[in-house]
């Protein structure tokens, strides 16, 4: 069940986003607003897209009051009304690395100009719709801590159910309907089919294993190896794109090896 490691890419991206927390919170709030509006229901139990958006937000510690405000905004009117649309941008960065960007924008022209500028300055090029999408696969991603807090000062943490033992965890993931998993230091990452995300999460929790976040992601089907110098150029482009307020997610096909991960963290 265990495939090639995707964690280094996820870890680097999450660290970069955590460093820009206020901007990240704004993006997460926008995702929740759009999911609530498109689903037509403020109750996540009746709106699967909203439930997934809230789980992603919780994984990045978005406060409950901000989640509520984002949901309320979906059903506001006048200046409080949300008029965002989903747009995808695809292109190639340095060393021919495919880059796939998901945006929520209220001004397509502004967003397109910003994205095109970022690609141009990085020596890349913006492509047409579908030009790189085939190089990615949509997956659900669930984060599961190996230990959880107890609230007891003498014993502050305890094993998190099946997550404490890999053999037990592998069986638990299979029984819950997960496709794959990998070891991510102090937690596990489970990969699921995109429509199975919330069902797998619920099954794990009902079996006694806590989760700490779930979201939809795009996984490269064939990661591309590059040199350290090219990797730095690619990440400069990714960082520039992630700084854009309208862009929610930026995915790439670069294979972040241990060597490259270390170089990027320097």
């Amino acid at each position: 069940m265990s495939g090639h490691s995707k964690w280094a890419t996820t870890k680097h991206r999450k660290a970069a986003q955590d460093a820009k927390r206020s901007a990240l919170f704004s993006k997460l709030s926008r995702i929740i607003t759009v999911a609530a509006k498109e689903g037509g229901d403020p109750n996540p139990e009746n709106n699967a897209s909203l439930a997934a958006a809230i789980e992603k937000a919780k994984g990045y510690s978005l406060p409950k009051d901000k989640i509520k405000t984002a949901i309320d905004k979906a059903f506001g009117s006048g200046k409080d009304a949300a008029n965002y649309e989903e747009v995808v941008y695809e292109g190639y960065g340095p060393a021919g690395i495919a880059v796939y960007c998901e945006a929520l924008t209220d001004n397509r022209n502004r967003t397109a100009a910003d994205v095109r500028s970022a690609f141009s300055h990085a020596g890349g090029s913006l492509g047409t719709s579908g030009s790189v999408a085939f190089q990615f696969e949509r997956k659900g991603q669930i984060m599961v801590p190996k230990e959880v807090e107890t609230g007891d000062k003498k014993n502050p943490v305890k094993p998190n159910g099946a997550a404490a033992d890999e053999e037990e965890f592998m069986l638990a993931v299979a029984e819950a309907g997960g496709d794959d998993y990998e070891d991510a230091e102090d937690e596990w990452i489970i990969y699921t089919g995109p429509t199975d995300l919330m069902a797998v999460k619920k099954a794990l929790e009902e079996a006694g294993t806590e989760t700490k976040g779930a979201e939809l992601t795009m996984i490269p089907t064939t990661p591309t190896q590059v040199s350290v110098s090219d990797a730095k150029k690619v990440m400069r482009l990714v960082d520039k794109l992630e700084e854009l307020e309208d862009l929610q997610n930026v995915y790439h096909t670069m294979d972040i090896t241990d060597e490259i991960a270390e170089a990027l963290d320097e």
Side-chain angles (χ1 to χ4, degrees), residues 27-36 44 47-60 62 67 70-71 104 197-198 213-216:
K27 293 184 179 190
L28 291 169
S29 294
R30 192 178 292 194
I31 292 173
I32 291 171
T33 298
V34 170
N47 185 339
S49 294
L50 177 58
I54 290 173
E55 281 303 319
K56 176 174 181 174
K58 286 180 177 177
Y60 289 91
L62 183 69
I67 291 175
I71 293 173
L104 288 174
L197 178 64
M198 300 311 294
E215 62 182 280
L216 292 173

Side-chain angles (χ1 to χ4, degrees), residues 75-208:
F75 303 98
S77 58
K79 65 182 179 63
D80 293 325
N83 293 302
Y84 301 120
E85 61 177 318
E86 297 180 6
V87 187
V88 170
Y89 298 95
E90 304 174 45
Y92 287 93
I97 293 296
V99 182
Y100 185 94
C101 310
E102 296 173 335
L104 288 174
T105 179
D106 56 3
N107 186 326
R108 271 178 175 256
N109 291 336
R110 178 193 66 223
T111 307
D114 289 344
V115 171
R116 186 173 290 107
S117 175
F119 271 93
S120 296
H121 284 123
S125 60
L126 195 58
T128 56
S129 177
S131 59
V132 306
F134 67 94
Q135 298 186 50
F136 297 86
E137 182 180 12
R138 177 74 70 186
K139 285 283 187 181
Q141 181 174 279
I142 303 169
M143 280 64 76
V144 179
K146 295 178 181 178
E147 294 183 324
V148 292
E149 295 181 0
T150 63
D152 183 344
K153 290 184 178 179
K154 290 184 179 179
N155 300 292
V157 295
K158 67 175 182 179
N160 182 21
D165 177 84
E166 182 167 5
E167 195 167 322
E168 265 190 66
F169 187 67
M170 181 173 64
L171 290 172
V173 171
E175 288 175 4
D179 293 343
D180 194 3
Y181 74 91
E182 70 173 296
D183 191 338
E185 299 175 358
D186 57 351
E187 65 185 16
W188 301 101
I189 297 182
I190 297 172
Y191 296 96
T192 75
T195 59
D196 300 329
L197 178 64
M198 300 311 294
V200 173
K201 177 181 180 294
K202 183 179 180 182
L204 284 168
E205 292 174 341
E206 288 179 345

